[in-house]
Amino acid sequence: MVVRNCWHCHAYANMSLPALQEHFLYETGTDLIDCTFPKPDKMQEGDDNYFVIYQCDRCGYPNIAHYKHNRWDDDNDEPTLPIEWIPISAIGKEYPDVPKRVTSAASECHRCFSIGAYRATVIMARSVLEAIITEKIQDPANEHGKDKTLNMKLKDAADEGVISKRLGDLADAIKDIGNGSTHNIFEDISKDEADYVLGFMDLLIEETYQQDERLAKLAKLNQRLEQVKSDKLSGIVKEN
Ligand SMILES: [Zn+2]
């Protein structure tokens, strides 16, 4: 069985060989070789790349698996894991209890990361961090009326209790990662650096939106419980 996150419907779906016999006069059904390219007569000497065109069981869109090794030697075995899928499936992230405008941008950072676009991940995640934190802190401008740096804002957020001290302590590294990217787009960004900024962004969203929302839900529930308790008490008073 061949499975992947389909690039089109994003489901983790089974990939099947397209049913060619529905359109062509293949009597034996579809063989792997029917969907494998290039064909033996087109293969270049020394090139061991080959591609199999599958069809997503869920949405029917084609997904191409890239394999390596000379599979023409063995029979019609199902190949092992592909070295890559084409197109790449960019995977976003869902954030319950977070405003749509924030989730849309934050999820896009994850999509960038999932396709290895680390520079784009960092530049965008820093912008998301900045947008959230600017709204939450008391004074985003410095004494000269100029916009504070992202790090100064994060420090303020920790001081004002907008974010936890623990998260505030991790903010320092953000200063060094990709700060140049906004000024120097050619700066290299590693996967670990992108992962760090992305993880920081997720924690910030968790602390600034998701915890708030959960606390609000808990407070509402608490109010209902208190109401029930006082109703019960007044019932007891009436009975007496
Ligand atoms: Zn699909």
Side-chain angles (χ1 to χ4, degrees), residues 227-240:
Q227 187 62 45
V228 171
K229 202 160 95 185
S230 76
D231 286 354
K232 256 189 206 162
L233 278 176
S234 61
I236 293 166
V237 173
K238 265 182 217 156
E239 277 167 25
N240 292 342

Side-chain angles (χ1 to χ4, degrees), residues 131-203:
I132 295 174
I133 220 71
T134 304
E135 272 182 18
K136 300 278 179 183
I137 58 172
Q138 284 169 15
D139 206 353
N142 63 19
E143 65 271 25
H144 308 296
K146 291 236 172 85
D147 202 28
K148 287 177 184 167
T149 64
L150 175 57
N151 259 72
M152 285 166 76
K153 289 178 184 175
L154 288 169
K155 197 177 169 307
D156 284 0
D159 290 344
E160 292 169 22
V162 170
I163 60 173
S164 67
K165 193 183 165 302
R166 283 195 300 179
L167 188 59
D169 288 344
L170 295 173
D172 242 10
I174 302 288
K175 180 176 69 214
D176 306 320
I177 304 172
N179 193 24
S181 307
T182 42
H183 310 295
N184 174 19
I185 198 76
F186 304 116
E187 184 188 331
D188 271 336
I189 301 283
S190 71
K191 183 180 183 184
D192 283 347
E193 289 174 319
D195 203 12
Y196 189 90
V197 180
L198 204 58
F200 188 91
M201 178 194 77
D202 280 352
L203 275 171

Side-chain angles (χ1 to χ4, degrees), residues 195-214:
D195 203 12
Y196 189 90
V197 180
L198 204 58
F200 188 91
M201 178 194 77
D202 280 352
L203 275 171
L204 184 93
I205 291 173
E206 159 85 28
E207 288 196 355
T208 49
Y209 291 107
Q210 293 178 303
Q211 276 182 15
D212 275 1
E213 190 60 34
R214 284 202 289 269

Side-chain angles (χ1 to χ4, degrees), residues 16-210:
S16 301
L17 295 172
L20 297 174
Q21 73 275 20
E22 286 176 14
H23 306 285
F24 299 104
L25 298 173
Y26 282 33
E27 287 178 349
T28 54
T30 308
D31 286 332
L32 191 59
I33 195 153
D34 298 327
C35 303
T36 303
F37 300 88
K39 300 297 182 197
D41 59 323
K42 297 276 183 203
M43 281 192 101
Q44 304 291 312
E45 186 74 28
D47 184 359
D48 61 351
N49 293 288
Y50 67 97
F51 303 83
V52 178
I53 301 178
Y54 289 97
Q55 188 179 32
C56 170
D57 275 4
R58 192 158 175 269
C59 70
Y61 271 50
N63 284 251
I64 302 170
H66 177 190
Y67 297 99
K68 232 170 159 64
H69 86 86
N70 195 349
R71 73 156 313 274
W72 304 100
D73 294 341
D74 30 54
D75 297 327
N76 223 6
D77 290 341
E78 191 83 11
T80 48
L81 279 179
I83 57 169
E84 64 169 346
W85 281 98
I86 304 165
I88 293 168
S89 179
I91 303 172
K93 185 177 163 156
E94 285 182 24
Y95 298 87
D97 300 327
V98 177
K100 179 89 176 50
R101 64 196 166 83
V102 177
T103 60
S104 156
S107 177
E108 196 167 320
C109 298
H110 280 271
R111 289 211 297 282
C112 290
F113 185 81
S114 76
I115 58 165
Y118 303 132
R119 205 179 276 126
T121 307
V122 166
I123 292 172
M124 198 167 174
R126 286 178 64 98
S127 299
V128 172
L129 286 175
E130 180 123 31
I132 295 174
I133 220 71
T134 304
E135 272 182 18
K136 300 278 179 183
I137 58 172
Q138 284 169 15
D139 206 353
N142 63 19
E143 65 271 25
H144 308 296
K146 291 236 172 85
D147 202 28
K148 287 177 184 167
T149 64
L150 175 57
N151 259 72
M152 285 166 76
K153 289 178 184 175
L154 288 169
K155 197 177 169 307
D156 284 0
D159 290 344
E160 292 169 22
V162 170
I163 60 173
S164 67
K165 193 183 165 302
R166 283 195 300 179
L167 188 59
D169 288 344
L170 295 173
D172 242 10
I174 302 288
K175 180 176 69 214
D176 306 320
I177 304 172
N179 193 24
S181 307
T182 42
H183 310 295
N184 174 19
I185 198 76
F186 304 116
E187 184 188 331
D188 271 336
I189 301 283
S190 71
K191 183 180 183 184
D192 283 347
E193 289 174 319
D195 203 12
Y196 189 90
V197 180
L198 204 58
F200 188 91
M201 178 194 77
D202 280 352
L203 275 171
L204 184 93
I205 291 173
E206 159 85 28
E207 288 196 355
T208 49
Y209 291 107
Q210 293 178 303

